Amino acid sequence: MDNVERRSGISLWRQIADQIRIAISNGEFDGNNMLPGEIALAKRFSVNRHTVRSAIASLTQEGVVRVEQGRGTFIERRERLQYPIGRRTRFSEGLAGKIGPRDRHLKNHTLQPAPAFVSTALQLAPGAPVVQLETVNTADDQLVSRAISWFDGERFSDFADRYVEYGSITAIFKSYGIDDYIRVSTRISAHHADSTTLEDLQLSPGAIMLRTEAINADMNGRPVEYSHSYFAADRIELDIDHGTALRA
Amino acid sequence: MDNVERRSGISLWRQIADQIRIAISNGEFDGNNMLPGEIALAKRFSVNRHTVRSAIASLTQEGVVRVEQGRGTFIERRERLQYPIGRRTRFSEGLAGKIGPRDRHLKNHTLQPAPAFVSTALQLAPGAPVVQLETVNTADDQLVSRAISWFDGERFSDFADRYVEYGSITAIFKSYGIDDYIRVSTRISAHHADSTTLEDLQLSPGAIMLRTEAINADMNGRPVEYSHSYFAADRIELDIDHGTALRA
DNA sequence: TTTATTTGTCTATTTATCTAGACAACTAGA
DNA sequence: TCTAGTTGTCTAGATAAATAGACAAATAAA
C-alpha cells in the first residue's frame, strides 16, 4: 500500500505517475509486462480511479506505457539510457552495451567576453573573449540533453566555423593541434527543469534534469573546454568510469 | 519575467519556490542578501501575491530564507554541499573547502542470500550470503543521504559487529587486511524521492533525489562493496574527480 | 512624527483537482 | 453467445489552490 501526500504542492496524479515510473524501472511488473488494472492501482494508492487515470495519461504521453481499451495498460519503455562519463569522455564515441549513436545540433554560437565563472574555469583573464556554443543533443534518436560550452576565444577564434566543417569536437581540437584531451572534473546536481530545458528537450513541467558542469583539459593540464549540460533525468543515467573498468 | 506553467501537476507556489531556490544558488540576489519584495516577485512570476507568499513559506520551512515583517525576506542558505566522488572516495574524509564533518547512523543490518543484482555486482555465486547495512548519513549536521550497502557474507561475516567497534568502513576493511580500496564505477540517476527516502531525509513529497549505484574493489580488483545511495538533491551536488585535480 | 514600504491577516470568489457513481465500449475466455 | 474484467466517457459535487482586495502591523528613513 503506497503513500501519496496531499497538500504537498504536487498533485496526486503526478505523485502516482512518479511512483509507477519508478516501480517499472525497478522491474516490479516484469511478469506480464503490464500494469495492474485501474481499480487495483486506485486501491493501492488510496485514491479515486479517475486520479489513477490521470497518472496513466501522463505516462502515456511520455511514452512509458500504452493503453488498450478492454485489455489493459502495457509497459513500453523500461530503462534509462546509460551515458558514460570518464577521463576520456567523448560525446561522439559509442560504447558497447550502452548508449547508441549520438548527434549534436548547434542552436547558436557567439564570441563574447567571458563571464566570471567561465574565465575562472578556463583559467583566462577576466573578460577575455570566449567562444560559446549552444547545442541540443540526441542519442538513439531521442532528445537527451542540451549543453552550453565555452572555449578560449584567442586560442580557438574560428571554433564555430570549424564546427560546421568537422562535426565533432575531437576533430576540431585535432585541427588545432590538440591530439588528446581529458576530463578533469565533473560536478553533478539535479533540479526541476528550467523553461529552456523543458522546451529544448520537449519535457513536461515538473520534469527533472541532471545538470553537469565539466572541465576538459589538454595533455599539459591547460583547460580547453568548460561546459554546462542538462540531461532529461527520466531518459538518462550517468555512468562514471573511475579508471579501471570492471563492470559488465 | 520567469515562467510558471499551470495544470502541470506542480502547484504554482511550488514551481516558484523551486525557481527562487535555483536563483539563490546562482547568486542572483547576492547584492543585499535579500529577496525582492512579495509584490515584485508576484509581478515577476505573473501570479498573485498570496501565491508567492506560499512559496516563501515553503522556503522558510526548508531553512533557505528567513522573513521579517516590515523589513523583507533574507537569504539564510545559499549553496549546496559538495560531495566528492572519486577513485578514493571515502565517506569519513573531509575535503578542504568542500563538505564538512560527516556521520553515519546504522539503521539496521542483515545477513541474507544475495539478490541477483547484488551477487552480479560483487561477482559472487547467485544466492551467496551477503551482509546488508542500511545507514542514514549526515554532513555538517544536515541529513544528506541514506544508503544500502552489501558485502560478501563469507569474507566479511561479522562486518556489522565490527561496524559498531570501528565506526568507519575503511577501518573495518583494514581489520580484514584490506589496506586500500578504490571506487571502480558509479552510476548516477535522478528521481522523485520514494517514500523511504522522504522519511529518512525528512523531505517533502515531490523532492528530488540523486541516486548513486557504486562498486568498490580491493587492490586486486576484487569487488568488496556494492551500494545504493540516495542524496537529497536540494542539499547536495556530486563532485566527480577523474584523477587530476585542477579545480579551485 | 510622518510617510513610504514592507510583511501579516482576513474575507470572498474563481478555478483546478479529486471524488463518486453510472453506464458504454471493448477484449478474452468459458 | 454469454460473462467477467478491462478501459472510456459522462454528470455532479466536494475539496484544494489561486486570485482579488482591504486593511493591520512592523520597519526605516525623511
Side-chain angles (χ1 to χ4, degrees):
Chain A
M1 203 67 70
D2 295 57
N3 280 338
V4 284
E5 196 141 342
R6 289 156 199 269
R7 298 163 175 272
S8 67
I10 313 285
S11 64
L12 297 183
W13 65 261
R14 183 145 207 139
Q15 294 183 52
I16 290 165
D18 289 338
Q19 294 204 31
I20 292 176
R21 202 188 301 98
I22 291 173
I24 288 173
S25 78
N26 286 345
E28 190 173 325
F29 312 117
D30 276 6
N32 50 4
N33 209 38
M34 348 172 25
L35 296 189
E38 294 172 349
I39 297 169
L41 286 172
K43 192 173 234 172
R44 167 166 169 174
F45 292 108
S46 310
V47 297
N48 191 274
R49 178 182 154 229
H50 298 292
T51 308
V52 168
R53 283 177 60 76
S54 298
I56 290 174
S58 165
L59 292 171
T60 303
Q61 188 66 24
E62 288 177 41
V64 173
V65 299
R66 166 181 45 84
V67 183
E68 291 185 27
Q69 180 170 359
R71 299 191 62 206
T73 304
F74 299 84
I75 295 170
E76 288 280 81
R77 181 154 48 77
R78 186 171 306 278
E79 290 189 344
R80 294 165 193 228
L81 297 172
Q82 281 171 36
Y83 194 97
I85 291 183
R87 265 171 83 96
R88 294 178 180 278
T89 296
R90 300 284 180 275
F91 177 80
S92 50
E93 283 178 12
L95 258 79
K98 308 241 164 167
I99 210 166
R102 303 180 220 178
D103 191 41
R104 256 199 179 103
H105 168 71
L106 184 63
K107 265 179 75 179
N108 65 58
H109 60 91
T110 60
L111 179 62
Q112 57 179 32
F117 65 96
V118 174
S119 56
T120 303
L122 289 177
Q123 298 179 3
L124 302 175
V130 288
V131 175
Q132 172 182 306
L133 299 187
E134 271 194 78
T135 61
V136 176
N137 311 314
T138 60
D140 289 335
D141 294 320
Q142 276 201 290
L143 287 167
V144 298
S145 67
R146 77 182 184 92
I148 308 179
S149 306
W150 293 272
F151 307 87
D152 181 349
E154 301 273 353
R155 199 173 174 192
F156 309 110
S157 55
D158 57 348
F159 198 100
D161 299 329
R162 298 199 192 185
Y163 185 88
V164 180
E165 187 178 350
Y166 292 100
S168 96
I169 303 285
T170 306
I172 299 174
F173 279 143
K174 278 230 170 72
S175 78
Y176 281 111
I178 299 171
D179 289 330
D180 203 0
Y181 62 98
I182 58 168
R183 175 69 64 95
V184 172
S185 76
T186 309
R187 202 173 278 179
I188 299 174
S189 55
H191 312 254
H192 287 105
D194 57 70
S195 53
T196 309
T197 303
L198 289 179
E199 192 175 336
D200 284 354
L201 304 184
Q202 297 173 16
L203 302 172
S204 55
I208 299 175
M209 64 184 185
L210 273 165
R211 175 183 189 274
T212 68
E213 187 188 331
I215 298 177
N216 284 319
D218 63 20
M219 298 318 279
N220 302 320
R222 194 170 159 200
V224 292
E225 177 183 11
Y226 175 61
S227 64
H228 292 176
S229 297
Y230 302 89
F231 297 85
D234 59 342
R235 297 174 195 160
I236 280 285
E237 63 184 20
L238 305 176
D239 198 0
I240 311 293
D241 175 17
H242 299 280
T244 349
L246 284 181
R247 184 187 289 273
Chain B
M1 204 66 70
D2 296 57
N3 281 339
V4 285
E5 197 138 344
R6 288 156 200 270
R7 300 162 179 272
S8 66
I10 314 282
S11 63
L12 296 184
W13 64 261
R14 189 159 197 127
Q15 293 183 51
I16 290 166
D18 289 338
Q19 293 203 33
I20 292 176
R21 204 187 299 99
I22 291 173
I24 288 174
S25 78
N26 286 345
E28 190 173 324
F29 311 117
D30 276 7
N32 50 5
N33 208 38
M34 2 178 2
L35 296 189
E38 293 171 350
I39 296 169
L41 286 172
K43 191 173 235 173
R44 167 167 170 174
F45 293 109
S46 310
V47 298
N48 191 274
R49 176 180 156 232
H50 297 292
T51 308
V52 168
R53 284 177 59 76
S54 298
I56 291 175
S58 165
L59 292 171
T60 303
Q61 189 66 24
E62 288 178 41
V64 173
V65 300
R66 165 180 46 84
V67 184
E68 292 185 26
Q69 180 170 358
R71 298 189 65 203
T73 304
F74 299 84
I75 295 169
E76 289 278 83
R77 180 154 47 78
R78 185 169 306 278
E79 291 188 343
R80 293 168 193 226
L81 298 172
Q82 281 171 36
Y83 195 98
I85 292 184
R87 265 171 83 94
R88 296 180 178 274
T89 296
R90 300 285 182 274
F91 178 79
S92 50
E93 283 178 11
L95 258 81
K98 307 239 163 170
I99 209 166
R102 302 181 219 177
D103 191 41
R104 256 198 179 104
H105 168 72
L106 183 63
K107 265 179 76 181
N108 63 58
H109 60 91
T110 61
L111 179 62
Q112 57 180 31
F117 66 94
V118 173
S119 56
T120 303
L122 289 177
Q123 298 179 4
L124 302 175
V130 288
V131 174
Q132 172 182 305
L133 300 186
E134 272 195 76
T135 60
V136 176
N137 311 314
T138 61
D140 289 337
D141 294 321
Q142 278 200 289
L143 287 167
V144 297
S145 67
R146 75 180 184 97
I148 308 178
S149 306
W150 293 271
F151 307 86
D152 181 350
E154 302 272 354
R155 199 172 172 194
F156 307 111
S157 55
D158 57 348
F159 199 99
D161 299 330
R162 298 199 193 185
Y163 185 88
V164 179
E165 187 177 349
Y166 291 99
S168 96
I169 302 285
T170 305
I172 298 174
F173 279 144
K174 277 230 170 74
S175 78
Y176 281 111
I178 299 171
D179 288 332
D180 204 1
Y181 61 99
I182 58 168
R183 175 68 64 96
V184 173
S185 77
T186 310
R187 203 172 275 179
I188 300 174
S189 55
H191 313 254
H192 287 103
D194 57 67
S195 52
T196 309
T197 303
L198 289 179
E199 191 176 337
D200 283 354
L201 303 184
Q202 297 174 15
L203 302 172
S204 53
I208 298 174
M209 63 184 185
L210 274 164
R211 176 184 189 272
T212 68
E213 188 188 329
I215 298 177
N216 284 320
D218 62 22
M219 298 317 280
N220 301 320
R222 193 170 160 201
V224 292
E225 177 183 11
Y226 175 62
S227 65
H228 292 177
S229 297
Y230 303 89
F231 296 85
D234 61 341
R235 299 175 194 159
I236 279 285
E237 63 185 19
L238 305 177
D239 198 359
I240 311 292
D241 175 18
H242 299 281
T244 350
L246 283 182
R247 183 187 290 273

